[in-house]
Amino acid sequence: MDPPLLDENEQNLFSNPAADPRKMRRIIAEDPEWSLATVPRLIDICIKHIVENFAENPLLDELKPKHKEKVLEALATDLPLKITAPLVSDEGYWKRCCKSRWAVCDTDQYGSSWKRMFFERNMEDLIENFVPESTDLTEITDTLELSKDFIMRLRMRQLLPQIKDVSAGVAAEEEISDQGSDTGTDDSLDHFDFGLIINKLPNLVELSVTYGVRNCGMNFEWSLFEFTQKDCYLLAKAVKECTHLQILRLQRCQIEDEKARLIISHLLDHPSLRVLDLSHNRIGDKTGRAVGKLLSGNKVLEEVNLSDNHIRAEGASAIAFSLKKNTTLRTLNLKLNRIGDEGGRNMCLALMKTSTLLQIDLSSNGLGEHMAASLAEVLSHNQSLQHIIISCNKLGVAGGRVLQEGLENNKVLQTFDLRLTEISQQSEHSIMNVIKSNKDRVAGVTV
């Protein structure tokens, strides 16, 4: 009798007994989380422990450079500033901190320093959201002590006023709101006092402030945008005491003559202020005379911006008279004012005698053909003025021809903005050719 035939699997079992799962040795792990993954190195465990306990026991300078780099890469960006500010100087860590808080980060405006960007913007956020008599000042003072060595510029886009007293009832509040919206004469609401911090910032060189509230929507009231007399006095006093401040910008603050003159009076003897920007306000001829006084005695100021205000011929004439004495001013911006031909002629008389001013902007000032004749004389005699902007003035065809003739012997002017001045295309073409020749000449000298 023949033996039974075996299939292929049975033959494998006979030839290799270990292939039989019933006879194979098996190891069952008692730890359900056990795996074949490599056990982490001791140094990695130590770094993880340092990172997790950094707030309680900050350890950084004692580490080797390669270990220190790993710790900085893993540190959380929300650690208290009192720990990270004096200890962490790595730009990579502060870059992560900046990008975790703000969508747009441009270090070019902060000297290519991420740490400086973080401390400046952090302080700006605290001040912009500070409500007088409501917000605790402790956070600002504590942060200031940690940030003071890194802050060189503060740019406040808004300042919040005090919260109004609504105890009189909803009806009274609505009545006041309506009157304020119509006339702009609501109760004065004061803002943050910069005197509390400005003297504690030894490296501050620029202060830019806008007194107003952003994104107020349907809660708009004129009082939210009011620059009060108290605000003016406190700010002027703080700026005067900050003798190392070089740039002051007060834009869109609805500053009127009385307040502007108060601020300027505190700047008469300022030893380091180079730029004064009072653009987009409501100042007039009285402030023009105050600026003239400032320029007459100042030996430091290099740029004055008074654009988009209410300055007329009288104020412009006062500024022009001071230019004859001033030897430091390089840029003067008077665009979007109302100086007219009279103020323009007086300004041109001053430009005939100054040799330090490099740029002037008189666009949108109601200038006409008479002003063009005066400006042509300036172009013939002034050999220092490099940039003139006189757009949006009705100089006319005759004015264009006069300017063309006056520019024939000028070798230094590199910018001459004549848009929307109603001059002929022929005159504009000839003037632009002279400007191009001047630019090429300067470029050749530079090369």
Side-chain angles (χ1 to χ4, degrees):
M1 183 177 180
D2 296 332
L5 297 176
L6 300 176
D7 60 20
E8 184 178 355
N9 292 333
E10 291 175 331
Q11 291 178 5
N12 291 335
L13 291 176
F14 277 107
S15 62
N16 184 15
D20 187 356
R22 294 170 296 180
K23 298 179 180 181
M24 185 176 62
R25 292 183 64 188
R26 291 180 296 172
I27 299 176
I28 301 176
E30 296 181 357
D31 185 359
E33 298 180 357
W34 181 87
S35 69
L36 293 175
T38 305
V39 176
R41 297 183 304 164
L42 181 59
I43 187 63
D44 294 333
I45 296 175
C46 293
I47 290 176
K48 181 179 179 182
H49 179 78
I50 291 174
V51 171
E52 292 176 348
N53 297 274
F54 199 83
E56 294 76 21
N57 184 25
L59 185 65
L60 193 62
D61 292 336
E62 297 83 352
L63 303 177
K64 293 182 178 180
K66 60 180 181 180
H67 300 151
K68 182 178 180 180
E69 182 179 352
K70 291 184 178 181
V71 170
L72 290 170
E73 290 176 353
L75 279 181
T77 58
D78 57 353
L79 288 171
L81 281 181
K82 64 180 180 181
I83 296 173
T84 58
L87 193 59
V88 180
S89 58
D90 179 69
E91 285 288 292
Y93 172 76
W94 294 109
K95 179 179 179 179
R96 290 195 295 115
C97 291
C98 289
K99 291 194 171 183
S100 67
R101 286 189 58 177
W102 302 291
V104 179
C105 298
D106 183 7
T107 56
D108 290 343
Q109 301 181 25
Y110 301 88
S112 300
S113 172
W114 289 98
K115 188 171 186 178
R116 177 188 161 190
M117 173 193 284
F118 180 85
F119 282 107
E120 287 187 4
R121 296 185 68 170
N122 180 61
M123 180 58 67
E124 289 169 358
D125 287 347
L126 291 176
I127 296 176
E128 287 180 350
N129 293 284
F130 179 84
V131 181
E133 306 300 334
S134 298
T135 305
D136 187 5
L137 193 62
T138 304
E139 184 178 4
I140 291 181
T141 55
D142 292 345
T143 304
L144 181 66
E145 188 62 29
L146 299 169
S147 310
K148 61 182 181 180
D149 294 331
F150 307 100
I151 295 178
M152 299 181 65
R153 179 182 62 189
L154 289 176
R155 292 183 175 180
M156 267 61 65
R157 298 173 296 172
Q158 74 166 12
L159 287 180
L160 300 179
Q162 294 180 10
I163 297 177
K164 293 191 298 184
D165 183 11
V166 296
S167 59
V170 176
E173 182 184 29
E174 292 178 351
E175 180 181 355
I176 292 174
S177 177
D178 292 341
Q179 293 176 354
S181 299
D182 294 337
T183 65
T185 56
D186 201 352
D187 293 337
S188 297
L189 303 178
D190 301 323
H191 301 80
F192 180 78
D193 179 10
F194 286 94
L196 300 173
I197 67 167
I198 200 169
N199 283 332
K200 299 177 182 178
L201 297 171
N203 299 319
L204 184 68
V205 297
E206 179 177 349
L207 178 64
S208 177
V209 186
T210 296
Y211 284 79
V213 179
R214 304 176 70 226
N215 303 321
C216 59
M218 296 301 294
N219 296 318
F220 170 82
E221 293 183 13
W222 280 113
S223 60
L224 298 177
F225 299 85
E226 184 176 2
F227 183 51
T228 68
Q229 192 69 28
K230 181 179 179 181
D231 290 331
C232 182
Y233 174 74
L234 293 175
L235 179 64
K237 182 180 177 182
V239 171
K240 181 179 181 179
E241 294 175 354
C242 185
T243 56
H244 50 273
L245 188 68
Q246 298 181 19
I247 302 174
L248 176 63
R249 303 187 189 277
L250 298 174
Q251 302 173 334
R252 300 185 302 278
C253 297
Q254 298 197 56
I255 301 176
E256 298 176 345
D257 279 331
E258 181 181 359
K259 296 166 186 173
R261 292 172 66 192
L262 177 61
I263 293 173
I264 293 173
S265 67
H266 284 72
L267 299 176
L268 293 176
D269 299 321
H270 201 285
S272 57
L273 190 69
R274 297 186 299 104
V275 177
L276 176 62
D277 186 349
L278 297 177
S279 59
H280 309 291
N281 285 294
R282 300 161 64 182
I283 59 180
D285 290 336
K286 292 182 179 179
T287 301
R289 292 197 297 269
V291 171
K293 182 179 180 181
L294 175 64
L295 291 174
S296 296
N298 190 283
K299 303 300 182 182
V300 184
L301 203 58
E302 298 178 1
E303 179 181 343
V304 172
N305 187 348
L306 301 175
S307 62
D308 191 17
N309 279 290
H310 303 161
I311 299 175
R312 297 179 180 273
E314 182 182 350
S317 300
I319 296 174
F321 182 78
S322 67
L323 292 180
K324 301 175 183 178
K325 302 178 180 179
N326 185 278
T327 59
T328 59
L329 194 68
R330 299 291 183 268
T331 302
L332 177 61
N333 191 339
L334 289 173
K335 70 178 180 181
L336 291 169
N337 279 282
R338 310 166 187 178
I339 68 174
D341 281 342
E342 180 183 353
R345 284 196 300 270
N346 290 331
M347 189 65 64
C348 288
L349 291 175
L351 295 177
M352 295 278 287
K353 298 182 180 180
T354 181
S355 59
T356 56
L357 194 68
L358 302 179
Q359 178 173 335
I360 188 168
D361 189 341
L362 298 176
S363 56
S364 300
N365 264 287
L367 305 177
E369 294 184 6
H370 297 294
M371 167 62 184
S374 300
L375 185 57
E377 294 186 25
V378 175
L379 296 175
S380 301
H381 296 85
N382 188 299
Q383 295 301 315
S384 61
L385 202 58
Q386 298 178 6
H387 308 279
I388 299 177
I389 303 175
I390 198 170
S391 58
C392 302
N393 289 294
K394 296 182 179 181
L395 304 182
V397 176
R401 288 197 297 266
V402 173
L403 292 175
Q404 179 183 345
E405 295 173 0
L407 196 61
E408 290 179 352
N409 298 320
N410 188 292
K411 306 299 182 183
V412 295
L413 194 65
Q414 300 179 40
T415 303
F416 200 9
D417 190 345
L418 290 164
R419 293 172 297 170
L420 302 177
T421 55
E422 301 181 1
I423 68 173
S424 66
Q425 291 184 355
Q426 181 180 359
S427 296
E428 184 176 4
H429 180 71
S430 301
I431 291 172
M432 290 304 107
N433 284 338
V434 175
I435 297 298
K436 184 178 183 302
S437 299
N438 292 346
K439 287 183 177 181
D440 293 341
R441 185 181 299 105
V442 172
V445 172
T446 303
V447 173

